[in-house]
């Protein structure tokens, strides 16, 4: 198992890369609006189809939690298989869509729910296999999902140009079904109390690693006040990232005076730093612990928001937005191992799925809040002051968390 866990990790990362195609929606939206307008005779724009992505991006936590329960019955291999195949099927449905309702069904509901089903188990199962480097592995596993926002848009754009938007959806869906169907078979359940060969757990971890007695199930977790502190920390950490990421192109044009082409490049750079932050924070957390890492990330986020608020040129803006990407990625990379370290590895799949509600809440609040502030103030600058306030609240909660756990 010590050797096989690397194959489990590789397969999980490849599947996460595939289901991360959910974030290629911006490439599909425009051509699909034109396609549906031609079919129905009713004029549609990409903005009219925004509901499709909103549904897909906000429904994943449901199956992350449900997948954790299902994992106890049939194991991660078949949960991930089901999630991967359904995700690809959702894309195929989109390729056959002749109205907006079918797009919502395929992309928003089928693929959105399937993403949570596969993602939750690939992450939690991988982290269980690597108690010796859980932070790094959590970072790598989540980064493989995050990097999709860089890799898939140009692929989708090329396919649309070659074969049209409908065929592009169908081809991508079929490839995802094939990759997920094959590589899910290499995923196995991590044995209870697994300890890698040649690794001796630190004293503070020995009791938890050698016995499941200290592990908490989901009912015990949500009964703990510490859970709500962690949930709020995740919300505050994710919402400030969502505020910037959701409208990065518009912010770059409004605040830094960039052209639309250069602003699009900012979006890609932001995604790269997001991915980098997941791996970096995971590595750091293995050495100084998750609580210290998260406190450091909140401090960095405060600095990032201050830089963006005060920025008067392109250089300051780029520094600030890259730091935002690193911080947002850091929260995503650290939280799987953070949840497992606080509430045990045995029920990590279900527990992390519930904890992920904080991220989904941020995904709903962040973009709306950014839009409302811009509409009210006519500028994005004040929004970064609000985001700085979120980061300060998160930093204070990180100290509360340590006090509750006496660290």
């Amino acid at each position: 198992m010590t050797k096989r866990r690397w194959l489990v990790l590789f397969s999980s990362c490849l599947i996460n890369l595939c289901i991360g195609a959910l974030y290629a929606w911006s490439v599909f939206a425009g051509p699909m609006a034109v396609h549906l307008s031609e079919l129905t005779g009713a004029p549609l724009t990409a903005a009219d189809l925004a509901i499709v992505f909103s549904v897909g991006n906000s429904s994943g936590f449901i199956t992350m939690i449900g997948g954790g329960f299902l994992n106890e019955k049939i194991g991660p291999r078949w949960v991930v298989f089901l999630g991967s195949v359904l995700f690809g099927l959702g894309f195929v449905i989109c390729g056959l869509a002749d109205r907006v309702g079918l797009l919502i069904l395929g992309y928003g509901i089928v693929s959105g729910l399937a993403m949570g089903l596969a993602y939750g188990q690939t992450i939690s199962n991988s982290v269980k296999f690597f108690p010796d480097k859980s932070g790094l592995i959590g970072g790598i596993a989540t980064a493989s999902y995050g990097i999709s926002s860089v890799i898939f848009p140009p692929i989708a754009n090329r396919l649309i140009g070659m074969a049209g938007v409908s065929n592009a959806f169908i081809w991508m869906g079929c490839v995802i079904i094939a990759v997920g169907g094959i590589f899910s078979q290499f995923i196995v359940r991590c044995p209870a109390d697994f300890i890698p060969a040649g690794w001796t757990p630190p004293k503070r971890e020995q009791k938890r690693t050698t016995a499941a007695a200290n592990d908490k199930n989901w009912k015990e977790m949500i009964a703990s006040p510490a859970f709500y502190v962690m949930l709020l920390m995740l919300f505050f950490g994710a919402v400030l990232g969502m505020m910037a990421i959701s409208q990065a192109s518009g912010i770059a044009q409004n605040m830094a005076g960039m052209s639309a082409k250069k602003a699009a490049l900012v979006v890609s750079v932001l995604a790269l730093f997001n991915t980098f932050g997941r791996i970096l924070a995971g590595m750091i957390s293995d050495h100084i612990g998750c609580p210290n890492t998260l406190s450091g990330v909140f401090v960095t986020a405060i600095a990032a928001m201050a830089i963006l608020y005060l920025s008067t040129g392109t250089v300051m803006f780029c520094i600030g937005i890259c730091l935002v990407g690193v911080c947002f990625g850091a929260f995503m990379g650290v939280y799987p191992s953070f949840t497992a370290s606080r509430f045990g590895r045995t029920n990590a799949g279900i527990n992390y799925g519930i904890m992920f509600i904080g991220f989904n809440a941020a995904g709903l609040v962040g973009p709306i809040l950014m839009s409302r502030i811009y509409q009210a103030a006519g500028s994005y600058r004040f929004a970064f002051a609000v985001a700085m306030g979120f980061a300060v609240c998160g930093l204070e909660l990180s100290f509360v968390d340590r006090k509750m756990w006496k660290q």
Side-chain angles (χ1 to χ4, degrees):
M1 281 298 179
T2 300
K3 293 181 179 179
R4 189 172 181 178
R5 62 181 181 159
W6 292 101
L7 179 59
V8 172
L9 176 64
F10 173 78
S11 300
S12 298
C13 287
L14 191 57
I15 290 169
N16 282 346
L17 183 67
C18 288
I19 61 176
L22 191 75
Y23 288 95
W25 172 253
S26 60
V27 176
F28 287 111
M32 183 54 77
V34 173
H35 175 67
L36 292 181
S37 296
E38 293 173 350
L39 288 178
T40 63
L44 290 171
T45 65
D48 295 324
L49 301 182
I51 182 65
V52 178
F53 182 70
S54 296
V55 172
N57 194 43
S58 61
S59 59
F61 81 94
I62 299 171
T63 41
M64 283 186 69
I65 298 171
F69 288 105
L70 189 59
N71 176 63
E72 301 300 317
K73 304 292 184 182
I74 63 176
R77 172 183 297 164
W78 296 111
V79 175
V80 174
F81 172 83
L82 182 62
S84 303
V85 171
L86 286 176
F87 186 92
L89 180 62
F91 269 53
V92 173
I93 293 172
C94 290
L96 301 174
D98 58 1
R99 54 188 181 276
V100 177
L102 276 178
L103 275 182
I104 295 174
L105 173 65
Y107 208 95
I109 298 176
V110 177
S111 290
L113 291 175
M115 181 277 293
L117 200 62
Y119 180 78
Q121 296 314 304
T122 54
I123 301 297
S124 60
N125 193 57
S126 295
V127 169
K128 287 179 184 180
F129 263 112
F130 291 87
D132 50 334
K133 45 178 76 70
S134 59
L136 172 61
I137 298 306
I140 291 173
T142 57
S144 62
Y145 177 78
I147 197 66
S148 294
S149 60
V150 178
I151 294 175
F152 272 102
I155 293 175
N157 193 53
R158 183 70 180 272
L159 287 175
I160 292 170
M162 289 171 53
V165 65
S166 294
N167 286 329
F169 263 127
I170 293 171
W171 290 0
M172 285 183 66
C174 290
V175 170
I176 291 169
I177 289 172
V179 172
I182 293 170
F183 283 91
S184 63
Q185 300 310 299
F186 295 110
I187 295 177
V188 295
R189 188 197 300 268
C190 180
D193 301 327
F194 169 73
I195 298 177
W199 179 66
T200 302
K203 288 183 179 179
R204 61 185 173 83
E205 297 288 341
Q206 282 180 2
K207 189 174 182 181
R208 183 178 296 280
T209 305
T210 56
N214 291 329
D215 289 354
K216 295 185 183 297
N217 59 35
W218 70 272
K219 292 180 181 179
E220 294 169 326
M221 182 182 74
I222 64 174
S224 168
F227 163 73
Y228 298 96
V229 173
M230 292 174 63
L231 188 74
L232 281 173
M233 284 172 60
L234 179 57
F235 172 79
F236 285 131
V239 74
L240 58 89
M242 284 292 189
M243 289 174 69
I245 289 172
S246 64
Q247 299 184 45
S249 178
I251 295 169
Q253 294 177 63
N254 180 271
M255 291 186 63
M258 293 185 178
S259 64
K261 187 175 181 179
K262 289 183 178 179
L265 181 61
V266 168
V267 176
S268 296
V269 171
L270 183 60
L272 287 172
F273 275 88
N274 175 7
T275 303
F276 171 69
R278 297 175 189 230
I279 299 174
L280 178 65
M283 283 174 35
I284 293 173
S285 69
D286 284 332
H287 294 284
I288 66 173
C290 294
N292 290 331
T293 302
L294 290 172
S295 293
V297 174
F298 276 120
V299 170
T300 305
I302 293 170
M305 295 308 163
I307 291 171
L308 287 170
Y309 181 78
L310 299 172
S311 67
T312 55
T314 303
V315 175
M316 281 187 71
F317 173 80
C318 288
I319 292 172
I321 206 72
C322 288
L323 286 176
V324 170
V326 170
C327 292
F328 180 72
F331 289 107
M332 299 302 98
V334 169
Y335 250 80
S337 59
F338 187 35
T339 305
S341 70
R342 289 301 197 222
F343 301 109
R345 290 191 290 152
T346 302
N347 304 298
I350 299 172
N351 291 347
Y352 180 58
I354 295 173
M355 188 70 71
F356 206 72
I357 292 173
F359 174 83
N360 283 105
L364 291 174
V365 173
I368 295 173
L369 182 61
M370 196 67 165
S371 296
R372 294 287 175 84
I373 292 174
Y374 178 73
Q375 291 170 2
S379 170
Y380 289 105
R381 196 173 300 277
F382 181 67
F384 293 114
V386 175
M388 192 188 306
F390 286 142
V392 170
C393 291
L395 178 61
E396 292 176 351
L397 284 173
S398 73
F399 294 125
V400 173
D401 171 79
R402 274 205 290 274
K403 187 174 181 181
M404 295 179 78
W405 293 88
K406 297 180 180 179
Q407 292 183 339

